[in-house]
């Protein structure tokens, strides 16, 4: 009768005296090789170190007097503009516009107040603080009987993380949802990735129709959001025009 072959179990590695001898031999070999290496190096001529002064290195020579670049005027120096009074960068209200009922009178908005405008105020507050928000300026006005416009500029401190861009993109991410604009919006001229959105009309029995439009964009360390509300239709040009004017001031 044939006996079927059965695979033998793997053998354990032998320990004890054999392993000890191998380890001793390895150590001796390492020590011996190191000693030979030191001996060879000792017999060699020392390698000279490079000179501390490097005459071949070229440095730009200072420009002659009168040829140095002229500093930009404050009107063209973006850093000078954005480090000044942020409220002055807001689009001025149109002639004849009125104050809104709940507008911020001094033009500043606190971070907690801004966070309360979101569905999850606590999460929004943590997000802004984590992104090193610096300050928030806002302006709002009413034109006609019901149309209101609100512009908010959110500025962030310099860091490795681009807070302005992240905030703008995070807001635009949900605009295509059915509860919001339901579209990808339209690009804002002059902006890297800003977009404007016109929402579908909201109708409810016993109430006036509600129209809404928004725009989001960022430039440098400032993120801008624009809201428009009315009981009459808001055109794509209406929101885009305000957005382009605001972008041009940043």
């Amino acid at each position: 009768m044939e006996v079927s072959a059965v695979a033998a179990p793997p053998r354990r590695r032998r320990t004890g005296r054999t392993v000890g001898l191998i380890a001793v031999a390895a150590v001796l070999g390492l020590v011996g090789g190191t000693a030979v290496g030191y001996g060879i190096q000792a017999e060699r001529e020392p390698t000279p170190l490079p000179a501390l002064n490097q005459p071949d290195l070229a440095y730009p020579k200072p420009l002659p007097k009168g040829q140095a670049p002229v500093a930009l005027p404050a009107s063209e120096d973006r850093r000078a503009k954005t480090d000044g009074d942020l409220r002055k960068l807001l689009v001025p209200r149109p002639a004849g516009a009125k104050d809104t009922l709940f507008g911020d009178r001094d033009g500043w908005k606190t971070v907690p107040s801004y966070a309360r405008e979101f569905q999850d105020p606590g999460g929004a507050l943590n997000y802004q603080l984590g992104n090193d928000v610096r300050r928030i300026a806002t302006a709002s006005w009413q034109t006609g009987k019901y149309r209101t416009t609100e512009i908010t500029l959110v500025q962030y401190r310099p860091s490795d993380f681009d807070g302005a861009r992240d905030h703008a993109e995070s807001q635009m991410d949900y605009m295509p949802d059915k509860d919001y604009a339901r579209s990808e919006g339209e690009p804002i001229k002059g902006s890297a990735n800003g977009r404007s959105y016109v929402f579908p009309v909201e109708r409810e029995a016993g109430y006036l129709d509600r129209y809404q439009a928004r725009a989001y964009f960022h430039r440098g360390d400032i993120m801008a959001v624009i809201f428009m509300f009315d009981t009459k239709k808001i055109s794509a040009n209406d929101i885009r025009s305000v957005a382009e004017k605001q972008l041009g001031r940043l």
Side-chain angles (χ1 to χ4, degrees):
M1 180 177 67
E2 294 184 357
V3 179
S4 60
V6 179
R11 296 182 180 180
R12 295 181 63 186
R13 180 169 300 177
R14 184 174 296 180
T15 59
R17 185 169 178 270
T18 303
V19 175
L21 291 174
I22 294 173
V24 170
V27 171
L28 290 174
L30 176 62
V31 173
T34 303
V36 172
Y38 276 120
I40 294 173
Q41 182 64 32
E43 294 177 359
R44 290 178 178 172
E45 291 294 329
T47 303
L49 295 173
L52 294 178
N53 61 330
Q54 299 289 329
D56 294 334
L57 294 178
Y59 293 94
K61 296 180 180 180
L63 292 173
K65 187 176 181 179
Q67 294 187 18
V70 180
L72 289 173
S75 59
E76 298 179 18
D77 187 343
R78 188 178 175 279
R79 175 58 64 184
K81 289 198 300 181
T82 58
D83 279 348
D85 190 337
L86 189 62
R87 297 172 298 179
K88 294 183 178 179
L89 298 184
L90 290 160
V91 168
R93 65 171 58 192
K98 299 178 291 185
D99 289 334
T100 56
L101 184 60
F102 301 105
D104 293 87
R105 303 304 178 192
D106 65 354
W108 294 113
K109 182 176 290 188
T110 66
V111 177
S113 177
Y114 181 61
R116 283 195 293 270
E117 299 175 5
F118 291 80
Q119 292 181 353
D120 178 11
L125 180 61
N126 289 334
Y127 171 86
Q128 294 299 336
L129 295 177
N131 288 355
D132 286 334
V133 64
R134 177 182 174 187
R135 53 185 179 168
I136 302 172
T138 185
S140 60
W141 59 80
Q142 179 179 335
T143 52
K145 190 172 183 180
Y146 292 112
R147 177 164 296 192
T148 60
T149 301
E150 180 180 14
I151 303 175
T152 303
L153 303 181
V154 186
Q155 187 175 32
Y156 296 83
R157 296 182 179 87
S159 70
D160 294 337
F161 183 75
D162 193 341
R165 178 174 182 172
D166 187 79
H167 188 24
E169 291 181 349
S170 69
Q171 297 304 292
M172 292 187 287
D173 280 348
Y174 63 81
M175 285 297 102
D177 294 356
K178 65 181 182 65
D179 292 334
Y180 293 90
R182 303 180 190 175
S183 75
E184 297 293 338
E186 297 292 335
I188 299 172
K189 184 178 179 181
S191 171
N193 60 353
R195 305 188 77 83
S196 59
Y197 305 85
V198 175
F199 285 46
V201 60
E202 298 179 45
R203 290 191 170 99
E204 186 176 352
Y207 294 89
L208 296 172
D209 291 346
R210 294 186 295 274
Y211 292 87
Q212 180 183 172
R214 299 187 189 183
Y216 296 97
F217 60 87
H218 80 280
R219 174 166 283 178
D221 57 2
I222 297 175
M223 176 269 196
V225 53
I226 303 170
F227 282 25
M228 295 183 73
F229 300 95
D230 203 344
T231 58
K232 297 181 180 180
K233 185 176 181 179
I234 301 172
S235 71
N237 186 63
D238 290 341
I239 183 67
R240 188 167 55 244
S241 176
V242 177
E244 290 175 357
K245 289 177 182 177
Q246 181 58 71
L247 180 63
R249 295 179 65 87
L250 299 180

